[in-house]
Amino acid sequence: MKKYRVRRDWSQRVLTPKLNVTRQTISKWELDKSYPDLESLIRLSDLFAVSTNFCLTLVKQNASD
């Protein structure tokens, strides 16, 4: 997810109101310490113009690393 956020030149703080989560939550997602819930995955897919399946695949790939 970080790669897509950085491509848009968004800080974590810019992304927080778009997803209705805290900056710490985004940091945990990017560090694989937690994972987005379903609602957040849907918002992420809309924001980054990717499918929800793609978002789920990213989460799964990060979890298996």
Side-chain angles (χ1 to χ4, degrees):
M1 180 178 76
K2 182 178 180 179
K3 176 172 77 171
Y4 291 92
R5 178 178 60 77
V6 171
R7 279 185 187 171
R8 293 184 184 254
D9 200 28
W10 289 345
S11 67
Q12 290 178 345
R13 290 196 192 279
V14 168
L15 192 55
T16 61
K18 298 176 186 301
L19 296 173
N20 197 31
V21 298
T22 66
R23 188 203 55 78
Q24 291 83 359
T25 298
I26 294 173
S27 178
K28 287 179 182 180
W29 293 347
E30 291 181 354
L31 296 171
D32 296 326
K33 292 185 177 184
S34 70
Y35 303 101
D37 61 16
L38 184 57
E39 185 177 321
S40 296
L41 281 171
I42 292 168
R43 287 183 182 154
L44 284 166
S45 75
D46 289 341
L47 284 172
F48 297 132
V50 296
S51 71
T52 52
N53 283 340
F54 183 78
C55 287
L56 289 169
T57 302
L58 285 177
V59 169
K60 184 178 176 185
Q61 285 175 348
N62 288 341
S64 66
D65 286 346

